[in-house]
């Protein structure tokens, strides 16, 4: 059958002008086919043009090396050992999953590997560019191979073999040669096909999706620029000092917002490069992504679409280009296809639609609530203040506005309202998911709960220690406190929680915090900018918040994977250490009661349906995370997939029943409901989550022990103990 017969099998039905139309369409189709064949031929004959370093880049390299050696907090020499580490980090950046290079390729740079340090000192960039160019050539070769496999038909792939594929190859051995890589890539393609088949996608659509993915990556590889190689090489170099020290190219430096925090104008998310993916680091409180609720930290973005348009695959794209694609006009919709953080493998994706908007200061503001509890015939009112971020309206402040908004001012006002309207017996400060913000606000907020004294120590690269203090003797609240934290509580949140813990002003409850205890500054170069770590935070008790974070007095398990999120999950993170403590008041010693408080908490959680469900979900997620490979046998894979989906539905329905809601009939019904919930940006949480309630129960335990044990001081006396010795 000809092309024309395939499209118009009933040729005899055309007459008159219809015949003319048919001939036109036939010629058009034939020309289209000819052009398509020519395009494939052109693509096959296309040659990668190696990129080369510039004089400006060489000068910038020398300046970066000097800054790192003489001004970074970490004292690190550029020597042969560093050369080897830079080489490995660079390969991890360019081929983190070890799917492009072979052992034979790596051996080509045996002579270069030990010389990278001295070359980077003097601006000799060619060795790094040679490595980059080889990787780009290998990427192009691999993608052409993948496209050829798909062109032969995915129906030719055998899914009956008892095969499996490693999910994370970052620690795997390099394949010995090209033939071994061919086998690996066939497995990768089979894995991608299976993942989409299990989602109900037909083979024609799967083939089209994969072709678009690989063709997009191939196009990016051919468009490699000198600046791409330089930025990748410099970030492998700067990353040796710590993960927060990095180089920004002139293109990235154009926008201060992107340069300093990578905050995406429009959806409110902080991103970073993660090998060939773009990874979500955290969500900006009050932003569209946070309110929408589906995008989560550690999700990896693989495609971006505008409105109803088909998403563009962004695997292998530069971070600034992904940012440009996500940003857009207010009220427009961006679609993100992501690999969820808890996905069983990298071929499992979901699509999230987010309406772009500005992050309003008032939506990040502190808010209040009250927990009413009854314990042994006694009524307790526990105030709750939720602080999404440490904010301050600096523009209004500089303009002299007496009513400018800030965390401390708002919290002081909320405390007054709680005490006046509700007569609270205790206070819970919720810092979960608070990624930090204005350092001065953390200092001032501590001051609301102590009379006077130090709040945090800052040690600089020259070992000089600066102590920030609360100079205001007034206290906004002197009663018992609980501070809630989790793994996403970072920086300023850790300073506040650590100070409250060190002063004995309250109990810290939740999970170990992020551990971000460093301070960065951005310094201009002749070509781009360098963000460099220059200082480190220490608690007033002397221990750093870096790496270790704040350890809660009472721990509550979390769904967040500590092995993937947190400072101690980052390569070359500065270690925890300690300096001398500074004199400070110890308002209360919890050592006499903490054992009993933990015991009561454990007993309560053992009976709590909410906690049992949370633990069940954590166990399910941990089991998924422990899976290091997936089967490529379709029957086995489908069985595993169905089991996972049944568990998801079971857990979701258990939560529905717990709240007196009708369970879902199917997974499709659950996903439809989740999409509807995510689309409703005006929704509010009708029921206070059980972790906040547990904070209230712990507070009631503290008050109960206070009433029944002579060694426990009353809430009024809570801030009147002698200084620690």
């Amino acid at each position: 059958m000809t092309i024309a017969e395939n499209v118009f099998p009933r040729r005899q039905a055309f007459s008159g002008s219809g015949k003319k139309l048919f001939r036109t369409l036939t010629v058009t189709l034939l020309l289209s086919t000819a052009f398509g064949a020519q395009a494939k031929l052109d693509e096959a004959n296309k040659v990668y043009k190696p990129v080369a370093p510039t004089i400006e880049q060489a000068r910038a390299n020398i300046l970066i090396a000097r800054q790192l050696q003489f001004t970074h907090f970490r004292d690190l020499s550029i020597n042969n050992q560093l050369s080897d580490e830079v080489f490995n980090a660079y390969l991890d950046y360019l081929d983190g999953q070890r799917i492009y290079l072979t052992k034979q390729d790596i051996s080509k740079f045996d002579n270069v590997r030990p010389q990278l340090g001295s070359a980077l000192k003097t601006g000799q960039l060619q060795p790094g560019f040679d490595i980059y160019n080889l990787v780009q050539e290998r990427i192009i070769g691999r993608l052409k191979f993948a496209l050829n496999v798909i062109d032969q038909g995915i129906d030719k792939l055998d899914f009956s073999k008892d095969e499996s594929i490693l999910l994370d190859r970052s620690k795997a051995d390099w394949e010995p040669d090209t033939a071994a890589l061919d086998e690996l890539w066939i497995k990768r393609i089979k894995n991608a096909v299976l993942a989409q088949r299990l989602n109900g996608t037909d083979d024609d659509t799967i083939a089209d999706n994969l072709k678009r993915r690989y063709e997009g990556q191939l196009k990016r590889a051919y468009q490699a620029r000198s600046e791409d190689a330089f930025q990748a090489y410099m970030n492998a170099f700067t990353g040796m000092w710590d993960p927060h020290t990095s180089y920004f190219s002139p293109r990235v430096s154009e926008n201060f917002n992107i340069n300093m925090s990578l905050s995406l104008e429009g959806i409110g998310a902080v991103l970073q490069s993660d090998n060939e993916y773009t990874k979500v680091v955290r969500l900006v409180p009050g932003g569209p992504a946070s309110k929408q609720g589906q995008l989560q930290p550690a999700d990896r973005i693989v495609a971006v679409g505008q409105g109803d348009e088909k998403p563009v695959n962004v695997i292998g794209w530069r971070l600034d280009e992904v940012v440009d694609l996500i940003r857009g006009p207010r009220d427009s919709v961006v679609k993100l296809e992501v690999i969820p953080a808890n996905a069983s493998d990298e071929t499992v994706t979901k699509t999230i639609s987010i309406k772009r908007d500005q992050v309003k200061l008032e939506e990040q503001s502190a808010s209040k609530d009250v927990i009413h509890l009854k314990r042994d015939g006694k009524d307790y009112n526990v105030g709750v203040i939720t602080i999404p971020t440490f904010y301050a309206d600096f523009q209004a402040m500089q303009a002299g506005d007496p009513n400018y908004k800030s965390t401390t001012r708002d919290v002081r006002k909320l405390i007054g309202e709680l005490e006046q309207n509700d007569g609270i017996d205790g206070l819970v400060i919720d810092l979960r998911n608070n990624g930090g913000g204005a350092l001065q606000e953390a200092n001032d907020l501590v001051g609301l709960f102590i009379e006077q004294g130090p709040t945090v120590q800052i040690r600089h690269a020259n070992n000089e220690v600066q102590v920030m203090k609360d100079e205001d003797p007034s206290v906004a609240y002197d009663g018992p406190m609980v501070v809630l934290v989790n793994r996403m509580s970072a920086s300023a949140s850790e300073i506040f929680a650590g100070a409250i813990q060190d002063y004995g002003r309250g109990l810290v409850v939740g999970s170990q915090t992020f551990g971000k205890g460093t301070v960065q500054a951005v310094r201009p170069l002749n070509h781009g900018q360098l963000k460099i770590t220059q200082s480190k935070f220490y608690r007033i008790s002397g221990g750093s918040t870096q790496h270790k974070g704040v350890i809660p007095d009472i721990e509550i398990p979390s769904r967040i994977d500590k092995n993937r999120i947190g400072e101690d999950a980052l390569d070359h993170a500065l270690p925890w250490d300690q300096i001398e403590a500074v004199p400070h008041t110890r308002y209360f010693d919890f050592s006499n009661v903490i054992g009993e408080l933990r015991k009561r908490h454990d007993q309560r959680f053992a009976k709590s349906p909410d906690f049992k469900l949370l633990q069940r979900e954590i166990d399910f997620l941990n089991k998924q995370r422990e899976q290091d490979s997936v089967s490529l046998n379709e029957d086995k894979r489908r069985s595993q997939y169905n089991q996972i989906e049944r568990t998801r539905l079971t857990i979701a329905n258990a939560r529905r029943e717990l709240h007196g809601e009708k369970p879902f009939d199917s997974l499709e019904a659950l996903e439809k409901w989740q999409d509807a919930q995510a689309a409703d940006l005006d929704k509010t949480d009708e029921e206070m989550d059980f972790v906040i309630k547990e904070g209230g129960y712990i507070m009631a335990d503290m008050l109960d022990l206070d009433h029944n044990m002579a060694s426990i001081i009353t809430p009024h006396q809570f801030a009147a103990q002698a200084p620690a010795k």
Side-chain angles (χ1 to χ4, degrees):
M1 182 181 288
T2 66
I3 294 175
E5 287 171 337
N6 187 35
V7 178
F8 298 107
R10 298 181 182 176
R11 190 181 336 195
Q12 67 278 10
F14 287 91
S15 62
S17 59
K19 290 180 180 178
K20 184 176 180 181
L21 173 63
F22 173 75
R23 285 195 297 271
T24 303
L25 289 169
T26 304
V27 171
T28 301
L29 284 165
L30 290 171
L31 285 173
S32 174
T33 304
F35 284 130
Q38 183 62 45
K40 281 189 175 182
L41 184 62
D42 291 344
E43 192 67 33
N45 294 330
K46 201 168 185 178
V47 177
Y48 170 71
K49 295 179 181 178
V51 295
T54 67
I55 294 174
E56 289 80 8
Q57 290 168 348
R59 289 173 179 165
N61 171 205
I62 294 171
L63 290 174
I64 289 169
R66 288 176 181 171
Q67 294 266 23
L68 291 172
Q69 284 192 285
F70 300 118
T71 63
H72 195 281
F73 187 87
R74 172 177 261 161
D75 183 14
L76 193 63
S77 299
I78 301 177
N79 52 28
N80 290 344
Q81 181 182 346
L82 188 78
S83 296
D84 193 64
E85 291 180 1
V86 170
F87 180 81
N88 292 330
Y90 192 33
L91 289 186
D92 283 343
Y93 187 91
L94 297 175
D95 187 12
Q97 288 298 304
R98 306 191 174 193
I99 57 175
Y100 300 120
L101 298 176
T102 65
K103 286 183 179 178
Q104 294 174 353
D105 291 326
I106 304 298
S107 66
K108 293 178 181 178
F109 296 106
D110 285 345
N111 295 330
V112 171
R113 183 196 294 249
Q115 301 171 9
L116 291 184
S118 58
L120 285 164
K121 262 186 178 180
T122 54
Q124 298 175 51
L125 294 170
Q126 195 59 51
F129 275 68
D130 288 342
I131 296 170
Y132 182 87
N133 286 324
L134 177 65
V135 173
Q136 292 304 113
E137 289 174 0
R138 295 296 183 262
I139 289 173
I140 289 169
R142 285 295 106 206
L143 294 172
K144 285 183 177 179
F145 174 84
L147 287 167
N148 184 52
V149 170
I150 294 166
D151 283 340
Q152 291 178 23
I154 60 177
D155 59 315
K156 303 290 193 301
L157 298 171
D158 185 0
F159 294 96
S160 63
K161 295 181 181 178
D162 191 14
E163 294 179 314
S164 63
I165 187 170
L166 200 62
L167 293 175
D168 180 9
R169 288 183 46 82
S170 60
K171 305 299 181 186
D173 290 334
W174 299 96
E175 295 296 342
D177 50 36
T178 302
L181 267 188
D182 287 349
E183 292 181 14
L184 173 62
W185 270 80
I186 289 173
K187 284 186 174 183
R188 285 172 56 83
I189 294 167
K190 289 168 74 170
N191 187 35
V193 171
L194 274 180
Q196 294 188 56
R197 277 185 181 175
L198 295 177
N199 286 332
T201 309
D202 63 83
D203 280 4
D204 288 341
T205 305
I206 293 172
D208 182 58
N209 289 343
L210 292 179
K211 283 185 72 172
R212 285 192 300 109
R213 176 191 299 181
Y214 296 136
E215 285 171 351
Q217 290 177 251
L218 188 60
K219 182 179 179 181
R220 306 309 303 174
Y222 278 124
Q223 293 175 346
R225 306 177 308 179
S226 173
E227 201 58 51
D228 300 334
F230 182 63
Q231 181 158 304
Y233 194 29
M234 285 304 99
N235 280 323
F237 181 41
T238 60
M240 294 297 100
W241 274 259
D242 86 303
H244 304 290
T245 295
S246 56
Y247 168 74
F248 293 116
S249 69
R251 169 69 181 84
V252 175
S253 300
E254 287 175 7
N255 189 309
F256 180 81
N257 236 1
I258 299 172
N259 174 30
M260 287 299 291
S261 67
L262 300 182
S263 295
L264 302 184
E265 177 185 317
I267 70 167
V270 179
L271 305 183
Q272 70 180 30
S273 292
D274 181 25
N275 292 315
E276 54 187 358
Y277 295 105
T278 298
K279 185 172 76 174
V280 178
V281 178
R282 65 180 176 86
L283 304 180
V284 178
S290 176
K291 292 169 65 178
Q292 196 264 8
Q294 286 184 300
L295 193 66
Q296 297 296 322
D299 285 356
R300 288 173 288 173
I301 299 172
V302 297
V304 180
Q306 312 300 328
D308 295 328
E309 297 176 10
K310 214 166 189 177
V312 176
N313 186 278
V314 295
I315 298 174
W317 282 37
R318 293 182 293 272
L319 181 61
D320 58 318
E321 292 185 324
V322 179
V323 169
D324 285 343
L325 208 55
I326 294 177
R327 300 168 75 197
R330 185 177 178 181
D331 292 331
S332 61
V333 174
V334 62
K335 286 193 298 187
L336 305 179
E337 184 182 349
V338 305
I339 301 170
N342 59 0
S344 56
D345 67 85
E346 65 180 25
T347 61
V348 176
T349 65
K350 68 177 180 180
T351 301
I352 300 170
S353 296
I354 302 174
K355 183 182 285 188
R356 298 178 175 104
D357 199 355
Q358 292 179 343
V359 180
K360 302 178 182 67
L361 187 61
E362 59 269 22
E363 291 178 340
Q364 300 185 47
S365 299
S367 59
K368 65 179 173 67
D369 209 328
V370 178
I371 305 172
H372 302 287
L373 299 174
K374 186 179 288 291
R375 177 70 59 83
D376 296 331
K378 298 172 185 175
D379 293 323
Y380 295 108
N381 290 336
V382 179
V384 178
I385 294 180
T386 302
I387 305 175
T389 186
F390 286 85
Y391 56 89
D393 190 343
F394 294 110
Q395 289 183 339
M397 189 190 309
Q398 292 169 356
D401 184 350
N403 299 313
Y404 73 87
K405 287 184 67 64
S406 78
T407 302
T408 307
R409 292 165 69 101
D410 288 351
V411 171
R412 184 189 292 272
K413 179 181 176 183
L414 293 174
I415 289 172
E417 293 173 355
L418 285 169
E419 290 193 310
Q420 181 176 351
N421 301 332
D422 301 283
I424 58 173
D425 300 294
L427 182 65
V428 174
I429 301 289
D430 187 2
L431 295 180
R432 290 173 303 164
N433 302 318
N434 184 322
L439 175 61
Q440 186 61 46
E441 286 303 310
N443 175 77
D444 294 346
L445 190 67
V446 174
L448 296 185
F449 306 103
I450 65 170
E451 292 178 346
Q452 272 182 321
T455 59
V456 66
Q457 302 185 77
I458 306 171
R459 180 184 171 199
H460 303 290
N462 61 3
N463 284 327
E464 178 186 337
V465 177
Q466 171 191 355
V467 180
M468 292 189 70
K469 298 180 179 180
D470 166 47
E471 306 285 358
D472 185 356
S474 66
V475 176
Y477 175 76
D478 64 359
M481 292 173 59
V482 165
V483 179
L484 296 179
V485 295
N486 66 1
R487 190 62 164 176
M488 300 308 298
S489 304
S491 196
S493 292
E494 296 174 292
I495 290 171
F496 177 83
I500 294 299
Q501 198 175 52
D502 288 341
Y503 273 105
R505 252 323 260 111
L507 284 178
V508 177
V509 175
S511 53
Q512 181 183 12
T513 61
F514 192 93
K516 170 66 165 66
T518 55
V519 185
Q520 287 73 42
V522 175
R523 296 179 179 171
L525 303 167
N526 68 304
H527 185 79
Q529 293 176 310
L530 177 68
K531 184 179 73 164
I532 188 168
T533 298
Q534 61 180 15
S535 308
K536 197 172 179 181
F537 290 131
Y538 293 82
R539 293 164 59 156
I540 56 175
S541 56
S544 177
T545 57
Q546 169 63 17
H547 206 278
K548 184 184 289 187
V550 176
I551 308 298
D553 300 297
I554 296 177
E555 188 168 355
I556 295 178
S558 169
R559 298 181 186 89
I560 299 172
D561 185 0
K562 289 171 59 175
N563 294 319
R564 297 184 63 182
I565 297 176
E567 190 76 7
D568 54 3
L570 302 175
D571 291 334
H572 303 287
L574 291 177
W576 178 89
D577 63 341
Q578 57 186 350
I579 59 176
E580 288 188 16
V582 290
H584 60 280
T585 301
R586 181 75 179 172
Y587 289 95
F588 183 70
D589 182 3
F590 283 97
S591 62
N592 294 328
V593 295
I594 191 64
E596 179 63 23
L597 290 173
R598 286 172 181 160
K599 179 182 175 182
R600 293 189 181 193
H601 161 76
D602 291 341
Q603 290 174 342
R604 192 162 43 245
F605 261 31
K607 300 175 183 177
S608 167
D610 285 294
F611 175 68
K612 288 178 180 177
L613 189 57
L614 172 64
Q615 192 60 57
R616 184 177 178 183
E617 189 173 357
I618 291 171
D619 292 342
F620 169 67
L621 292 173
N622 286 339
K623 188 175 180 181
Q624 294 295 102
R625 293 162 185 158
E626 290 169 2
Q627 185 178 354
D628 59 1
S629 63
V630 290
S631 175
L632 297 178
N633 178 287
E634 186 162 3
D635 291 338
K636 286 186 177 181
R637 183 71 165 271
R638 194 173 294 278
S639 176
Q640 293 167 354
Y641 175 83
N642 290 337
Q643 178 60 44
I644 291 170
E645 297 300 271
R646 283 195 297 270
T647 304
R648 278 184 57 206
L649 182 61
T650 300
I651 291 174
N653 280 338
R655 182 169 287 110
R656 298 273 292 180
E657 291 172 1
L658 190 62
H659 297 128
E661 298 168 331
K662 184 180 178 182
F664 297 109
D665 295 329
S666 64
L667 197 64
E668 290 75 16
L670 166 62
E671 291 174 344
K672 187 176 180 180
W673 177 84
Q674 288 175 333
D675 290 341
Q677 287 292 104
D680 182 11
L681 297 184
D682 296 322
K683 66 180 182 294
T684 56
D685 294 327
E686 295 180 0
E687 188 170 350
M688 190 179 297
D689 74 72
F690 82 98
V691 175
I692 290 182
K693 287 183 178 179
E694 178 59 19
Y697 287 127
I698 292 171
M699 180 67 64
D701 289 339
M702 292 164 61
L703 296 170
D704 183 43
L705 290 172
D706 174 41
H707 289 308
N708 291 288
M709 296 177 66
S711 60
I712 305 300
I713 57 175
T714 65
H716 180 71
Q717 296 170 316
F718 205 79
Q721 297 297 291
K725 295 182 179 179

